[in-house]
Amino acid sequence: MKAIEASSLTFSYDEEMEALHGLSFSLDKGEYLAVIGHNGSGKSTLAKILVGLLMDFDGEIKIFDLPLNKKNLGKIRSKVAIVFQNQDNQFVGSTVADDIAFGLENKNVPHDKMQSIIDEYALKVGMDKYLDKAPENLSGGQKQRVAIAGVLAMHPDLFFLDEATSMLDPVGKREILELVGKMRKENPDLTVVSITHDVEEAALADKVMVLDKGNMVLFGSPKEVFANKEILKSVNLEQPYFMRLIEALKENGIYVPDNINNISELEDFLCR
Ligand SMILES: Nc1ncnc2c1ncn2[C@@H]1O[C@H](COP(=O)(O)OP(=O)(O)O)[C@@H](O)[C@H]1O
Ligand SMILES: [Mg+2]
């Protein structure tokens, strides 16, 4: 089953400029899509449309085979969740615990089950010591952790991270990505769309989309997408580190086979 099918998706906020032009792509259930592109390229607009927050689009979208329209909006929203970069407008509870509870209440989770779910997810994101604190007093990165806990606790089928770890340090970022990876192992149907500036994260995704000024300039497996050096350069994006390393090795006359897909495979090869 497809998690997302978009055909000829076009969107404008106003008459002057189109924010997205004719995007067609699909994503299988259980896949991890990384969306990369510079500021203003349309990444957040795309995410907001796909979660049903911006409805006035042209073209067709299906989410888990359901056409995204007013009639199906409630059903679709119950399956999708999004965490934005800036959490300040997203907090509703007066404490971290309340905030996680709010999402669970919306999902009709029974009250006697709630506390253990709140504890479990706060622990998963490393915020278990902060359950009684007010969200507004947390740092940007801590707010991002809480928002991610709140959303993951609701067990969405389709989960969007819109630069949702941008305020975490590299270790914190890795922890969150590992957590998402673990949740995908537990639930292979969980589909993830991660909007990121990090080409290294994108290199580990199942699919990569590159947006530039509202156009989808590349879409495919990381290997397919990152092979397009010239196009990437034209939109100011670099290849992932392992690909640049392979190129440098080859330039120095060192043989590297073509079937290497990530840094750990390259390390394995070089050690052998
Ligand atoms: N609420 C809005 N009203 C008008 N234009 C907007 C609005 N939000 C975004 N835009 C414009 O749409 C384009 C895409 O923005 P956005 O989707 O936020 O890009 P990204 O997330 O890739 O930085 C930009 O030109 C931006 O200025
Ligand atoms: Mg954005």
Side-chain angles (χ1 to χ4, degrees):
M1 194 204 249
K2 301 281 182 206
I4 303 173
E5 279 180 276
S7 63
S8 306
L9 167 61
T10 293
F11 180 84
S12 339
Y13 288 99
D14 47 47
E15 269 120 60
E16 273 159 46
M17 203 200 74
E18 270 177 19
L20 295 174
H21 320 277
L23 271 57
S24 298
F25 67 95
S26 69
L27 189 69
D28 285 340
K29 195 160 117 176
E31 283 191 311
Y32 189 113
L33 168 68
V35 181
I36 54 178
H38 276 275
N39 286 341
S41 58
K43 304 181 299 295
S44 294
T45 303
L46 176 63
K48 284 177 189 164
I49 292 171
L50 294 174
V51 299
L53 290 172
L54 291 173
M55 288 298 282
D56 255 341
F57 57 85
D58 288 320
E60 272 176 66
I61 298 172
K62 284 185 188 164
I63 304 291
F64 299 117
D65 290 346
L66 284 173
L68 178 53
N69 54 31
K70 287 222 169 77
K71 186 175 135 261
N72 292 328
L73 193 57
K75 240 190 211 159
I76 288 172
R77 282 209 184 138
S78 72
K79 297 171 193 282
V80 304
I82 186 162
V83 182
F84 292 106
Q85 173 170 28
N86 188 339
Q87 307 312 324
D88 288 334
N89 323 320
Q90 257 188 326
F91 287 117
V92 285
S94 59
T95 65
V96 167
D98 284 351
D99 203 78
I100 300 175
F102 182 80
L104 297 173
E105 263 163 28
N106 280 346
K107 276 246 153 174
N108 296 320
V109 172
H111 271 261
D112 55 327
K113 295 236 171 79
M114 245 182 228
Q115 194 57 50
S116 67
I117 298 175
I118 293 169
D119 291 343
E120 180 190 344
Y121 281 86
L123 184 65
K124 278 187 200 286
V125 299
M127 291 298 290
D128 47 310
K129 305 242 158 45
Y130 295 83
L131 283 170
D132 302 330
K133 299 274 186 295
E136 58 267 28
N137 295 335
L138 303 175
S139 73
Q142 289 172 327
K143 286 178 186 174
Q144 292 189 323
R145 286 175 187 270
V146 172
I148 289 166
V151 161
L152 287 177
M154 291 193 285
H155 288 275
D157 297 314
L158 174 55
F159 177 39
F160 289 79
L161 292 152
D162 185 354
E163 301 186 37
T165 61
S166 58
M167 290 175 210
L168 294 170
D169 60 26
V171 175
K173 256 181 215 172
R174 195 171 344 117
E175 282 170 10
I176 296 294
L177 289 180
E178 278 168 8
L179 171 61
V180 173
K182 222 156 87 195
M183 301 213 41
R184 291 180 67 228
K185 275 220 183 90
E186 286 164 16
N187 172 15
D189 286 345
L190 174 62
T191 310
V192 178
V193 178
S194 175
I195 294 172
T196 174
H197 280 286
D198 185 355
V199 290
E200 306 308 325
E201 180 197 332
L204 301 172
D206 297 313
K207 294 278 161 61
V208 179
M209 178 190 293
V210 180
L211 288 178
D212 181 56
K213 302 187 190 85
N215 296 300
M216 190 176 88
V217 293
L218 292 168
F219 182 85
S221 70
K223 217 166 175 189
E224 290 162 350
V225 164
F226 288 119
N228 294 281
K229 240 177 109 177
E230 291 308 312
I231 298 177
L232 291 169
K233 209 163 140 191
S234 74
V235 299
N236 269 315
L237 288 169
E238 271 205 316
Q239 287 184 307
Y241 175 68
F242 85 95
M243 286 185 132
R244 286 183 281 138
L245 197 56
I246 288 174
E247 214 154 276
L249 289 166
K250 284 181 173 169
E251 274 165 22
N252 284 286
I254 297 166
Y255 167 76
V256 182
D258 285 332
N259 61 353
I260 286 182
N261 293 308
N262 55 52
I263 189 76
S264 57
E265 287 178 18
L266 180 60
E267 277 168 3
D268 284 350
F269 169 74
L270 293 175
C271 289
R272 271 189 267 120

